[in-house]
Amino acid sequence: MSSLKWWESAVIYQIYPRSFNDSNSDGIGDLQGITERLDYISGLGVDAIWISPFFKSPQKDFGYDVSDYCDINPDYGSLDDFDALIAKAHNLGLKVMIDIVPAHCSDQHPWFEESRQSRDNPKADWFHWVDPNDDGTVPTNWLSFFGGAAWSWEPRRQQYYLHNFLSSQPNLNHANDEVRTALTDVARFWFDRGVDGFRLDAVHTINGDIPPYKNNLAKDDFVLGVLPQQQQPFFRQLHDTGQLNQPNIQKFSEAFREVADSYDGDKFLMGELHGDDPVLASRTFTQEGRLHATYNFNLLEWAGLDVNGLKEAISSAIDAFNGTGRLTFAFSNHDVPRSGTRQLDALGLDISQQEAMQLLLLKLEISLIGSTCIYQGEELALSDVRDIPLHKMQDPWGIEFAPTFLGRDTCRTPMVWRADQPNGGFSNANETWLPVAEAHLSRAGLDEAEKDASVYNQMAAFLKWRKSQPAMMSANQMSALSGDDSQIIFDRISDTQTLRCCFDFKTLTASFEEI
Ligand code: BGC
């Protein structure tokens, strides 16, 4: 039935490898552990998996600090394990996407280790090295997402280097053609191994414009965001005229697209990005010859608003992309509090309604145009875990700002598979890298997959039904949103079918009717 490419309507299951399934009892999830659970994922009826970074890395930001883009971190296994994973996934009909981090690498990457030595080594210009101001201060007022200045000092060069995240994540200098070539070689390495696409991490934070670096301006309409991380000083600045979304980045997206297009089989490039004007940034990134789609933050950031706020969040993205599959929605991921709990809090609902709320949100996002990313555990309605003691916390961002902001451990605790097994079946180790949540045990994955009425099975049934709906599978067109203060209603429209989709936040039910 479908005339769309696979990625234009894909439901993509995001795996956070460290917390998915531990096959070798070291308390940390790994690639073999993922392979063991591919049947479970495929049983849901999703189209693809996206695996967060598993490359060599000192794990300061749990893999988003890469020290070798073409090898596997020993915690997670080996390249042979990856080959076995991809072979099994493809046998089950699942596409495999991996997470490339192009904006920065680890300070332990040999590129940076060489670059920081002197001002005249072969990699001297691979990062952003800038002289201090005359008074010794940092070159610009740019702040790091994780708090503090975006510049750190290197005594050997007597210069500052740029990092948009941790100081151990130096930004690569994309104005240097050699850097771009090195990264497109990385893309080829993984395409040659059979991957079907990339989630491109934080592409708006790629820096490539040459000095003079411009200061960020202050937001004149700053209001404290609803998410605690939005209450940090970083969010008081406008970034798109200085630090982020620099025009030069598009050389990168065009180079990556050229590589993707040189392979058969509709390779998919999905860019994670944000900006002062996210719609504009998404449009720029998805122009002809650039990325296929962008990962939209509107639903991830929806917390504390009412249903009308949710409508606005959806509409602002849809208005710009209706008729295309250039948009990926997600309610949850490894960076934000789990959606079920977040929305219950926001709407003042009771924990007993968590499963119904989760299913409603899943059906809603999957019914929108474009692709959808669901995060491991959403299919089980797992709650956000907010009682991890400080000494067990792992996320450097949370450790810095707890207890006001708990960071990202709350959504990263290990998956649970069997209620009656040690560590909920995640691992046989004495201790797991983050504690397994007691509260999750009653919703263990393999147990739930055996219960007819579980969220897992209701979602599987929904995905199966969706595949037979031309309005959802053969066109990416939808009407404007309507409904009263507690409803979201829209039509999905194809040449042969119009499907009215209604999501009721009072009864926490979804209904679909052909009209
Ligand atoms: C990833 C985060 C990571 C950051 C820096 C993000 O957008 O999703 O987990 O900390 O990029 O790489």
Side-chain angles (χ1 to χ4, degrees):
M1 164 211 308
S2 181
S3 56
L4 299 177
K5 295 198 164 48
W6 71 268
W7 52 266
E8 291 182 290
S9 64
V11 178
I12 303 163
Y13 185 94
Q14 184 195 350
I15 297 171
Y16 193 68
R18 209 171 175 80
S19 292
F20 197 63
N21 187 32
D22 173 18
S23 74
N24 65 351
S25 308
D26 63 357
I28 296 172
D30 46 49
L31 295 179
Q32 232 178 291
I34 296 174
T35 307
E36 286 170 8
R37 293 285 177 264
L38 286 174
D39 292 303
Y40 165 91
I41 297 173
S42 148
L44 257 182
V46 299
D47 305 289
I49 54 172
W50 143 32
I51 315 175
S52 284
F54 46 77
F55 318 104
K56 260 202 180 138
S57 152
Q59 303 290 312
K60 298 270 176 55
D61 191 20
F62 296 107
Y64 287 93
D65 50 327
V66 180
S67 57
D68 185 345
Y69 287 90
C70 297
D71 206 352
I72 311 284
N73 203 54
D75 287 345
Y76 301 135
S78 63
L79 282 167
D80 285 347
D81 293 335
F82 182 76
D83 292 342
L85 186 162
I86 204 166
K88 178 157 183 197
H90 283 165
N91 272 338
L92 290 167
L94 291 168
K95 305 273 188 196
V96 175
M97 295 174 64
I98 63 170
D99 205 325
I100 297 277
V101 187
H104 49 263
C105 60
S106 160
D107 61 349
Q108 292 177 36
H109 196 298
W111 298 340
F112 188 71
E113 284 181 338
E114 186 173 352
S115 188
R116 74 189 315 175
Q117 298 299 326
S118 66
R119 293 185 181 210
D120 56 6
N121 66 72
K123 299 273 184 303
D125 188 35
W126 278 46
F127 296 84
H128 294 265
W129 293 106
V130 186
D131 290 334
N133 294 328
D134 290 343
D135 62 359
T137 53
V138 294
T140 62
N141 66 353
W142 297 359
L143 297 169
S144 143
F145 278 84
F146 291 158
W151 298 99
S152 284
W153 182 245
E154 170 52 64
R156 280 165 288 195
R157 294 184 53 137
Q158 289 292 301
Q159 281 181 313
Y160 286 103
Y161 67 90
L162 173 68
H163 52 87
N164 282 314
F165 295 91
L166 298 173
S167 58
S168 54
Q169 293 170 297
N171 261 74
L172 285 153
N173 177 12
H174 277 255
N176 183 331
D177 292 345
E178 290 174 17
V179 168
R180 203 161 46 250
T181 304
L183 287 167
T184 46
D185 286 349
V186 169
R188 285 199 186 85
F189 176 87
W190 291 105
F191 278 144
D192 288 344
R193 278 202 123 76
V195 306
D196 301 289
F198 298 128
R199 179 257 193 191
L200 295 163
D201 182 68
V203 286
H204 57 305
T205 71
I206 289 176
N207 292 89
D209 283 355
I210 41 169
Y213 298 91
K214 284 175 253 157
N215 271 340
N216 289 331
L217 303 173
K219 267 185 200 158
D220 50 19
D221 56 353
F222 172 76
V223 276
L224 283 183
V226 274
L227 293 177
Q229 63 265 40
Q230 295 168 334
Q231 300 173 5
Q232 295 174 16
F234 180 86
F235 292 91
R236 291 176 183 262
Q237 295 187 338
L238 288 168
H239 300 103
D240 287 359
T241 48
Q243 188 173 1
L244 304 180
N245 283 314
Q246 299 178 342
N248 211 320
I249 306 174
Q250 301 312 331
K251 282 194 187 164
F252 158 82
S253 56
E254 285 160 12
F256 252 60
R257 179 60 181 268
E258 213 177 300
V259 175
D261 286 352
S262 70
Y263 286 81
D264 293 334
D266 289 329
K267 302 295 186 194
F268 177 37
L269 302 177
M270 173 180 85
E272 184 214 25
L273 63 89
H274 213 314
D276 297 339
D277 181 344
V279 166
L280 178 66
S282 295
R283 281 194 166 172
T284 309
F285 267 100
T286 54
Q287 277 172 22
E288 204 49 45
R290 297 180 178 171
L291 306 185
H292 297 94
T294 62
Y295 183 81
N296 186 278
F297 274 60
N298 286 15
L299 301 187
L300 287 170
E301 288 176 347
W302 184 65
L305 305 176
D306 56 15
V307 175
N308 287 327
L310 179 54
K311 272 191 205 133
E312 276 163 36
I314 294 173
S315 300
S316 67
I318 297 293
D319 289 350
F321 291 97
N322 210 353
T324 81
R326 299 198 170 279
L327 196 59
T328 306
F329 279 113
F331 266 116
S332 282
N333 68 15
H334 62 295
D335 288 332
V336 296
R338 284 187 174 276
S339 62
T341 321
R342 206 169 80 213
Q343 311 317 342
L344 288 178
D345 289 355
L347 298 172
L349 298 174
D350 188 70
I351 192 82
S352 67
Q353 292 161 305
Q354 189 160 339
E355 293 195 356
M357 171 60 91
Q358 186 71 75
L359 199 56
L360 183 67
L361 295 176
L362 285 166
K363 288 182 177 176
L364 169 61
E365 63 180 340
I366 292 168
S367 300
L368 299 171
I369 59 165
S371 48
T372 314
C373 288
I374 60 165
Y375 179 53
Q376 64 185 45
E378 278 191 280
E379 77 284 10
L380 303 170
L382 295 188
S383 50
D384 208 45
V385 183
R386 297 176 186 171
D387 56 1
I388 303 170
L390 188 57
H391 70 278
K392 296 219 163 154
M393 281 174 64
Q394 299 283 341
D395 180 20
W397 199 8
I399 292 170
E400 177 87 16
F401 293 109
T404 317
F405 169 48
L406 295 176
R408 302 167 294 176
D409 293 334
T410 65
C411 63
R412 293 178 178 180
T413 60
M415 282 284 280
V416 283
W417 297 106
R418 287 287 185 199
D420 60 359
Q421 288 181 7
N423 300 311
F426 165 71
S427 167
N428 286 325
N430 290 334
E431 202 174 352
T432 54
W433 81 284
L434 271 174
V436 170
E438 258 323 287
H440 288 177
L441 292 178
S442 59
R443 299 215 183 98
L446 296 176
D447 294 344
E448 292 300 283
E450 289 165 0
K451 293 181 198 154
D452 285 348
S454 62
V455 175
Y456 174 97
N457 276 318
Q458 291 188 67
M459 179 176 163
F462 175 71
L463 288 179
K464 194 164 170 211
W465 168 83
R466 173 181 178 261
K467 288 259 189 254
S468 65
Q469 303 303 311
M472 298 229 195
M473 299 306 295
S474 66
N476 260 322
Q477 194 69 44
M478 61 183 272
S479 69
L481 269 48
S482 62
D484 66 24
D485 287 355
S486 61
Q487 288 173 321
I488 297 183
I489 300 173
F490 56 85
D491 296 341
R492 283 293 303 263
I493 305 155
S494 73
D495 288 348
T496 57
Q497 189 192 36
T498 298
L499 196 62
R500 179 141 304 168
C501 311
C502 175
F503 304 87
D504 190 319
F505 282 79
K506 217 178 253 162
T507 57
L508 299 181
T509 52
S511 54
F512 301 87
E513 185 194 356
E514 199 167 333
I515 54 169

